[in-house]
Amino acid sequence: MTSTAVSTDRAADAVSWALCPGCRTVHLGNRLLRGLWVCPGCGHHLRITAAQRLDALFDPGSARLVDSSSTDTDPLGFSDTEPYPRRRERARRRTGMREAMLVATGTIHGQPLVAAVSDFRFLGGSMGVAVGDLLTRAAEIALARRVPLLMVTASGGARMQEGVLSLMQMARTTQALTRLDAAGILTVSLITDPTFGGVAASYATLADVILAEPGARLGFAGPRVIEQLLGKPLPTGFQTAEALRDQGHLDLVCPRGDQRALLGRLLALTAPAAPADRTGLDAGTVTDPEALHQRDPWQSVRRARDITRPTTADYAARVFTDFLELHGDRLTKDCPAIIGGLARLDGRPVVMVGTQKGHTAAELSARHFGMASPAGYRKAARLMRLAAKLGAPVVTLIDTPGAHAGIEAEAQGQALAIAENLRLLTELPVPVVAVITGEGGSGGALALAVADRVLMLANAVYSVISPEGCAAILWNDAAEAPRAAAALGVSAPDLLRLGVVDGVIPEPGGGAQTDHAAAAELLRAALTATLAELGDLSAGEIRCRRSRRFEAFGGLSSPRSDSMGME
C-alpha cells in the first residue's frame, strides 16, 4: 500500500462568488470557505469535494491518501451520448480524481481511523467496480490496523455504464463490512446529499453508527422515480435526514461544523480502555434481606413513582462520562421512552440503555410515561448488539410501568419485540448489569433485565403486574392496590429474599429524589464494583452463568435432566 499527503491548498478551493441552492442568495466565496461551505443565511450545506471533506474532518496534517489505482473496466462497451471511457476520462480531467472515492488514513482528535469518502462530482459519485475496490480496500486496511472505518457517502447509486457488475459491488461492499463486524471493528457512515440507490442499499446504511448532514437526502429510489410512479408531488421533507431521524433510520443529524468534534467523541468512547486495577471495590449493595428497612410495600410503590426521582437521563449525566445518545431502531421510529448510547464508566467503555420518564407532565407525556413501543425495544436490541460487537459491557436502567399497550404497539409486534430482547440478552457475550431504579413493570422491564447481575434501588419495585391491575382482576376493586402490593411482594426485601435481585443499592435519606448527586454516586459505585466482578469471565462463562441464574427460578431440581431424553 502506498500513500500520499492530502492537498489542503485552500486557495484552489476559493471562488469569487457562489449561489446558495437553498435560499438563492449569492455569497462571497471566501466567506463560504471559512464556514465549511455552509450558507450563513439559511444553513444549507453546499456540496464539497472529497479532499475538502478530509480537510474538514481529519486532524491537520494527519491525512494520507491510499493509492487508488485500479484497472479501468468497460465490460459492456457502453455508449450513450458518448462512450463510457470518454465520459470517465472527462470526469478525471474535471475533478483531478481517478475515481469517485478517496481512501485515506489519519486521525480525528488523535484517534486513528480509515476513511472512504465519495465525491459527487465524479459521475454522480456512482459505484462501479473501481469504487467497490476502494471501499473494500478501505475495509481491509481498517481490519489490518484494527481501527474504525468512516464512510462518507454522496452518490446517485450504482454506475449504469458498468451494468450488472456495478450491482455486484453492493454485495462486495456488504461482505467487506461483515468482516469488520466479525472482527469487532467500529463502522460509521456520514450521509451527505444525495445518497441513493445501490450505495444507500449497501454499505451506507449498514454502519454501526449513522450520522447525516442537515438536509441530506437518503433513499433507495430517487424522488423523481417515486414522483413518476405516484403521479403526484412528494411531501415536503421526504427522504431528508431530519425525517429519517424521526423514522428511526439515523442516529444523529450533525451540522458540518460540529462533525469533527462529534466523530472525535465517538472514536474516543469506543477506543479500548487502558487496563485499570478495579480489585477490592466496594459495591455498597445490601445482600441480606433482614438488613433492609421493612417498609410497607404500597409506600414503596408510591416512592418508586415519585416524579422527582432521578430519571435515566439524570443518571446518564451524573454516573457516566460523556454519554453519547444514539437514536432509532433502523426500521420505523425513534421511541422516546428508551434512551441509550455509548459512555464510559470509570474509564471503561460501556453501552447504556434505559427507560426514560420525566419530571413534569409534559416530559412524561413526551416520553410515553416510560412505556416503550416495539421500536424502543428494537432500539435497545440494536445497541446491545453493538455492545457485543465492541466487547463492551451493557448497563440497563429500568423505570417503567410496563411496555406500551395500544393498537399501534400490537400491530407492530410488541410481544415479539419483548421476546426477541429476552433471547438476545440470554445469548449476549458481554457482561450485563440491570438496575431497577423506580418501577419495574412486568415484561416491559424484564426485556431489559435478563442480566448477569440484577440490582435495585432501595425504594424501587419490581412486579409481574401493577398493584392496581392485580387488584382489579383478583379483587374486582382497584382500591385494593395496597393489599395487592403486599401480596405480590414487589419491594426490595421480598425480591432479595426470592433471589430475583442480587443486591439492593441504598438511597440517600428520604429517597433518591432528595439528593440526585448522592443517589448517582451510590449507583456509580455499585455499577463499577459489579462490573469489576464480571470483568474476567469469558463469553462462554458469562452465558452459562446467566442461564443458570434464571434456571434457578424453575421448579426442577436441576437446570437440565438427562432423563428428559426420548427413549
Side-chain angles (χ1 to χ4, degrees):
M1 182 190 75
T2 61
S3 63
T4 57
V6 177
S7 171
T8 56
D9 182 4
R10 287 181 173 268
D13 293 335
V15 295
S16 298
W17 300 93
L19 176 69
C20 171
C23 62
R24 310 301 294 175
T25 301
V26 177
H27 295 285
L28 187 64
N30 283 334
R31 186 182 183 192
L32 287 173
L33 180 61
R34 289 193 299 271
L36 299 177
W37 296 95
V38 176
C39 176
C42 70
H44 181 85
H45 284 52
L46 284 72
R47 289 177 188 158
I48 60 176
T49 69
Q52 288 171 329
R53 181 74 61 180
L54 290 170
D55 187 29
L57 294 178
F58 277 43
D59 294 335
S62 72
R64 294 291 183 270
L65 288 178
V66 173
D67 181 15
S68 62
S69 60
S70 61
T71 302
D72 288 340
T73 58
D74 182 18
L76 304 180
F78 195 94
S79 181
D80 41 51
T81 57
E82 64 179 324
Y84 171 45
R86 186 185 303 168
R87 184 183 295 275
R88 181 172 53 203
E89 191 56 38
R90 278 199 304 111
R92 287 172 175 168
R93 290 195 301 269
R94 186 173 65 253
T95 64
M97 299 174 63
R98 180 167 178 80
E99 255 300 339
M101 177 178 284
L102 293 180
V103 175
T105 61
T107 62
I108 297 179
H109 285 201
Q111 299 291 336
L113 76 158
V114 179
V117 184
S118 299
D119 195 314
F120 195 78
R121 299 174 305 153
F122 196 108
L123 299 182
S126 56
M127 179 168 64
V129 171
V131 169
D133 287 342
L134 287 167
L135 194 285
T136 301
R137 187 176 305 167
E140 289 171 348
I141 297 169
L143 181 60
R145 298 188 180 188
R146 298 201 62 80
V147 298
L149 173 63
L150 169 66
M151 300 164 289
V152 185
T153 64
S155 175
R159 189 169 296 177
M160 292 179 288
Q161 292 90 341
E162 295 185 19
V164 75
L165 289 185
S166 65
L167 190 68
M168 296 301 104
Q169 306 315 305
M170 295 171 64
R172 286 188 67 211
T173 56
T174 297
Q175 290 173 352
L177 264 63
T178 301
R179 290 190 286 272
L180 295 183
D181 289 339
I185 305 298
L186 178 73
T187 56
V188 182
S189 282
L190 173 56
I191 307 298
T192 74
D193 189 63
T195 298
F196 285 114
V199 169
S202 58
Y203 70 87
T205 50
L206 290 177
D208 299 314
V209 179
I210 303 179
L211 313 175
E213 288 193 330
R217 293 168 296 162
L218 169 70
F220 181 58
R224 284 188 297 177
V225 173
I226 299 174
E227 280 187 331
Q228 289 174 359
L229 288 173
L230 296 179
K232 60 181 181 181
L234 297 172
T236 302
F238 180 71
Q239 292 182 317
T240 61
E242 292 76 10
L244 293 169
R245 176 192 56 201
D246 295 341
Q247 293 160 7
H249 301 302
L250 305 176
D251 284 290
L252 294 163
V253 177
C254 183
R256 194 172 290 164
D258 298 332
Q259 288 168 10
R260 179 186 284 177
L262 177 59
L263 287 167
R265 284 180 65 196
L266 179 59
L267 297 176
L269 284 169
T270 54
D277 182 9
R278 297 184 175 91
T279 58
L281 295 175
D282 181 12
T285 55
V286 178
T287 57
D288 179 5
E290 303 307 318
L292 293 170
H293 176 63
Q294 303 297 312
R295 181 177 291 110
D296 174 62
W298 183 244
Q299 185 182 7
S300 294
V301 172
R302 292 172 64 85
R303 284 203 173 190
R305 293 173 175 174
D306 190 327
I307 64 171
T308 63
R309 288 176 69 83
T311 65
T312 292
D314 295 327
Y315 285 125
R318 291 179 180 271
V319 173
F320 303 92
T321 303
D322 196 22
F323 172 64
L324 177 60
E325 186 177 358
L326 301 177
H327 296 269
D329 70 339
R330 295 286 192 270
L331 188 62
T332 56
K333 65 179 180 180
D334 180 40
C335 174
I338 294 278
I339 64 172
L342 303 164
R344 284 194 178 256
L345 176 65
D346 191 34
R348 170 185 291 179
V350 298
V351 169
M352 192 221 73
V353 180
T355 54
Q356 175 65 15
K357 286 184 177 179
H359 294 301
T360 66
E363 289 176 356
L364 287 165
S365 177
R367 296 288 183 173
H368 300 171
F369 296 87
M371 296 185 291
S373 66
Y377 292 115
R378 287 194 295 264
K379 174 167 64 171
R382 179 177 78 84
L383 294 173
M384 291 187 286
R385 290 190 186 97
L386 176 58
K389 172 179 174 176
L390 300 177
V394 173
V395 174
T396 65
L397 304 181
I398 301 159
D399 182 14
T400 177
H404 180 69
I407 295 174
E408 182 181 10
E410 292 300 315
Q412 293 176 356
Q414 184 69 289
L416 177 61
I418 293 171
E420 291 284 7
N421 271 25
L422 302 182
R423 178 164 60 183
L424 172 64
L425 280 166
T426 296
E427 290 296 313
L428 212 64
V430 294
V432 182
V433 179
V435 184
I436 313 296
T437 62
E439 289 184 277
S442 194
L446 184 63
L448 299 179
V450 179
D452 304 290
R453 296 286 189 276
V454 180
L455 309 176
M456 69 184 299
L457 270 61
N459 290 314
V461 294
Y462 195 10
S463 179
V464 67
I465 190 173
S466 71
E468 294 89 343
C470 177
I473 294 171
L474 299 182
W475 278 273
N476 295 316
D477 185 358
E480 292 289 341
R483 184 177 173 189
L488 288 167
V490 301
S491 59
D494 290 326
L495 294 164
L496 192 56
R497 197 172 291 113
L498 289 169
V500 172
V501 300
D502 302 294
V504 176
I505 304 171
E507 297 188 23
Q513 67 275 12
T514 64
D515 191 337
H516 286 201
E521 181 55 29
L522 290 164
L523 176 58
R524 187 202 62 77
L527 288 172
T528 302
T530 303
L531 285 176
E533 294 174 8
L534 301 169
D536 295 330
L537 298 177
S538 68
E541 289 173 318
I542 288 170
R543 292 190 186 102
C544 184
R545 291 189 181 196
R546 192 181 301 146
S547 178
R548 286 204 302 265
R549 184 187 187 281
F550 286 88
E551 286 283 1
F553 300 123
L556 298 176
S557 59
S558 61
R560 293 186 63 87
S561 174
D562 292 339
S563 64
M564 294 176 66
M566 294 180 63
E567 296 182 359

